């Protein structure tokens, strides 16, 4: 039955070629350290699912932000779980991309022909940190507020454009409703859009170039 | 049963693990989205109005109380006004002070022994029945109970 449906679809879309290319491609004999990229991808999916669910109730205004997070955490069924998965998933993301990067450096897997994979990965690393920084403010509690005061102030020491950079990040002189609103917009629209593009490129290149075998002794 | 080869086993195990992870997202996700829809029913919320001995026999007394209504994370305070009537000091009834015609506030006129609505001259008896004027039905009645000398009203019904 599913073979018939699959065949019908394959004649019209050629999905089997893509499926086999992604899931049945040849891989060298590798170890568990090679699963870090896939693990990161799973957490990315987790962040997207739980993030979308959080936006159903979260309201990014200074009056409502904390109250809605409180409502999500304490009044809704499984709200604590959805928020918890997003919260811990964020930490897991930073950890996993870090380990993934260390693995690639250690094996020299960034070399020809995988330089673009590496560069897109660098972009994804920066993106992950930007997600973490903007997302940290959104609960609008004391920790979020003061962490962002400190975090944005770091921009101030930039030579020449420090004051300007600080004002751009905060949307004014102080952390305010404007900061919260734009951090939210960046966190849920700008960064995910770039993320999807870069992840798409990164995965395409992984499939196209294949993964590098662990270097042998003397290589 | 034919022995399963390694490839088939790993393929099925992968699908099974993926399905388990998918369920792990779907079940809490659906519960989370649907949870505001489940409304607590069955238990009426009783609001304290005041001391029962404030009510004179045969004369409706107006009680006011503040109620906090919560919708999601927003709480709003509203004032409820209820006329409490008793004829024997044991049985109490509570009536809304909102005219059933167009929603003006009725008041008790003691020397006429009736509720009077100033907007269109609606008149109700001491037991909330329409006596005269345009109101289509009697005053809305709320369940009232007395416990330890305090009057409670339920606005649910």
């Amino acid at each position: 039955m599913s073979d018939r449906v699959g065949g019908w679809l394959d004649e019209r879309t050629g999905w089997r070629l893509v499926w086999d290319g992604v899931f049945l491609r040849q891989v060298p004999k590798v170890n568990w350290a090679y699963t870090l990229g896939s693990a990161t991808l799973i957490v990315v999916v987790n962040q997207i699912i739980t993030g979308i669910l959080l936006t159903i109730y979260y309201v990014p205004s200074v009056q409502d932000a904390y109250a809605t997070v409180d409502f999500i955490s304490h009044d809704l069924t499984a709200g604590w779980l959805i928020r918890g998965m997003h919260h811990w998933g964020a930490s897991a993301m930073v950890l996993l991309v870090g380990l993934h990067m260390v693995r690639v450096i250690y094996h020299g897997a960034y070399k020809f022909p995988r330089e673009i994979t590496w560069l897109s990965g660098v972009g994804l690393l920066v993106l992950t940190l930007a997600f973490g920084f903007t997302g940290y403010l959104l609960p609008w509690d004391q920790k979020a507020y003061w962490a962002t005061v400190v975090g944005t102030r770091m921009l101030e020491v930039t030579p020449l454009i420090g004051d300007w950079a600080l004002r751009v990040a905060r949307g004014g002189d102080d952390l305010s409703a404007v900061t919260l609103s734009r951090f939210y917009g960046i966190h849920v629209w700008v960064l995910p859009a770039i993320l999807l593009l870069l992840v798409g490129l990164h995965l395409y290149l992984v499939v196209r170039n294949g993964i590098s075998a662990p270097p042998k002794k003397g290589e | 049963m034919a022995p399963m080869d390694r490839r088939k086993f790993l393929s099925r195990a992968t699908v099974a693990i993926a399905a388990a992870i998918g369920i792990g997202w779907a079940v809490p996700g659906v519960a989370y989205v649907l949870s505001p829809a489940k409304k607590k029913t069955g238990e009426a919320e009783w609001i304290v109005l005041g001391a029962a001995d404030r009510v004179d026999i045969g004369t409706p007394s107006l009680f006011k109380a503040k109620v906090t209504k919560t919708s999601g994370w927003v709480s709003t305070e509203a004032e409820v006004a209820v006329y409490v009537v008793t004829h024997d000091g044991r049985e109490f009834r509570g009536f809304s002070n909102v005219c059933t015609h167009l929603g003006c506030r009725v008041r008790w006129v003691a020397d006429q022994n009736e509720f009077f609505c100033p907007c269109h001259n609606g008149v109700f008896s001491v037991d909330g029945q329409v006596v005269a004027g345009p109101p289509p039905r009697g005053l809305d009645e709320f369940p009232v109970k007395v416990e330890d000398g305090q009057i409670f009203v339920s606005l649910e019904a």
Side-chain angles (χ1 to χ4, degrees):
Chain A
M1 175 63 194
S2 66
D3 266 6
R4 272 185 57 206
V5 176
W8 189 90
L9 275 175
D10 188 51
E11 280 183 320
R12 287 154 183 82
T13 61
W15 69 271
R16 281 205 174 111
L17 194 70
V18 178
W19 180 269
D20 292 357
V22 171
F23 292 107
L24 302 181
R25 70 200 146 87
Q26 298 282 325
V27 291
K29 187 158 173 54
V30 293
N31 56 46
W32 281 98
Y34 284 73
T35 60
L36 287 165
S38 304
T40 311
L41 183 62
I42 290 286
V43 181
V44 167
V45 173
N46 177 67
Q47 296 307 91
I48 292 172
I49 292 173
T50 54
I52 288 172
L53 287 172
L54 288 172
T55 65
I56 291 177
Y57 301 109
Y58 178 75
V59 178
S61 78
V62 290
Q63 288 85 16
D64 297 311
Y66 182 78
T68 53
V69 171
D70 192 55
F71 175 71
I72 290 167
S73 307
H74 299 116
D75 293 348
L76 291 168
T77 307
W80 60 273
L81 183 62
I82 302 291
R83 184 179 167 216
M85 291 205 291
H86 200 73
H87 175 95
W88 293 105
S91 296
M93 275 297 295
V94 176
L95 197 69
L96 285 169
V97 293
L99 290 172
H100 182 49
M101 181 183 70
V102 168
R103 200 282 294 170
V104 170
I105 293 172
Y106 183 65
H107 286 141
Y110 50 84
K111 294 175 191 170
F112 174 84
R114 301 190 180 83
E115 295 97 324
I116 306 298
T117 323
W118 167 261
L119 286 175
S120 61
V122 172
L124 286 164
L125 171 70
V126 174
L127 215 52
T128 301
L129 300 179
F131 265 115
F133 186 64
T134 51
Y136 204 80
L137 178 67
L138 302 183
W140 201 247
D141 53 11
Q142 288 291 322
K143 194 170 67 160
Y145 184 91
W146 293 106
T148 308
V149 167
V150 173
T152 50
R153 180 161 279 177
M154 289 179 192
L155 288 165
E156 208 179 5
V157 300
T158 314
L160 303 176
I161 58 161
D163 287 343
W164 176 81
L166 178 73
R167 286 177 54 81
V168 168
R170 290 184 178 174
D173 283 326
D174 299 308
L175 220 61
S176 64
V178 180
T179 323
L180 179 62
S181 171
R182 58 209 263 126
F183 270 44
Y184 177 77
I186 291 166
H187 189 83
V188 306
W189 291 114
V190 180
L191 298 180
I194 305 170
L195 179 89
L196 290 180
L197 284 173
L198 280 182
V199 166
L201 174 65
H202 201 73
L203 292 182
Y204 164 75
L205 291 171
V206 166
V207 171
R208 181 188 181 277
N209 294 330
I211 58 176
S212 64
K216 291 187 184 66
K217 242 185 180 154
E219 258 181 352
Chain B
M1 204 175 92
M4 194 184 285
D5 62 15
R6 183 182 150 93
R7 170 174 286 256
K8 197 164 220 170
F9 171 77
L10 285 174
S11 157
R12 290 207 180 149
T14 306
V15 170
I17 292 168
I21 294 173
I23 290 167
W25 276 317
V27 171
V30 169
Y32 167 87
V33 172
L34 296 183
S35 71
K38 59 166 197 227
K39 197 172 179 279
K40 289 182 196 114
T41 48
E43 43 180 321
E45 202 186 327
W46 293 97
I47 299 157
V48 186
L49 288 179
D53 54 19
R54 258 187 57 200
V55 185
D56 293 328
I57 287 173
T59 306
S61 304
L62 185 64
F63 285 88
K64 289 182 177 176
K66 287 229 178 345
V67 286
T68 308
K69 283 192 173 175
T70 305
S71 61
W73 57 91
V74 181
S75 293
T76 44
E77 278 218 329
E79 200 182 58
V80 292
V82 178
Y83 271 109
V84 178
V85 186
T86 184
H87 295 296
D88 52 13
R90 286 188 298 274
E91 297 286 318
F92 290 83
R93 297 177 75 189
F95 293 100
S96 161
N97 71 338
V98 177
C99 180
T100 53
H101 178 219
L102 288 173
C104 295
R105 302 286 163 156
V106 300
R107 60 187 166 84
W108 175 252
V109 184
D111 46 358
Q112 306 282 329
N113 215 34
E114 64 193 19
F115 289 105
F116 177 71
C117 177
C119 292
H120 304 95
N121 300 328
V123 177
F124 301 88
S125 74
V126 65
D127 288 315
Q129 304 299 314
V130 182
V131 174
R137 59 174 201 279
L139 291 172
D140 290 332
E141 185 168 358
F142 298 122
V144 168
K145 67 173 183 180
V146 177
E147 269 175 23
D148 298 331
Q150 294 287 312
I151 303 174
F152 293 83
V153 68
S154 166
L155 303 180
E156 307 269 310

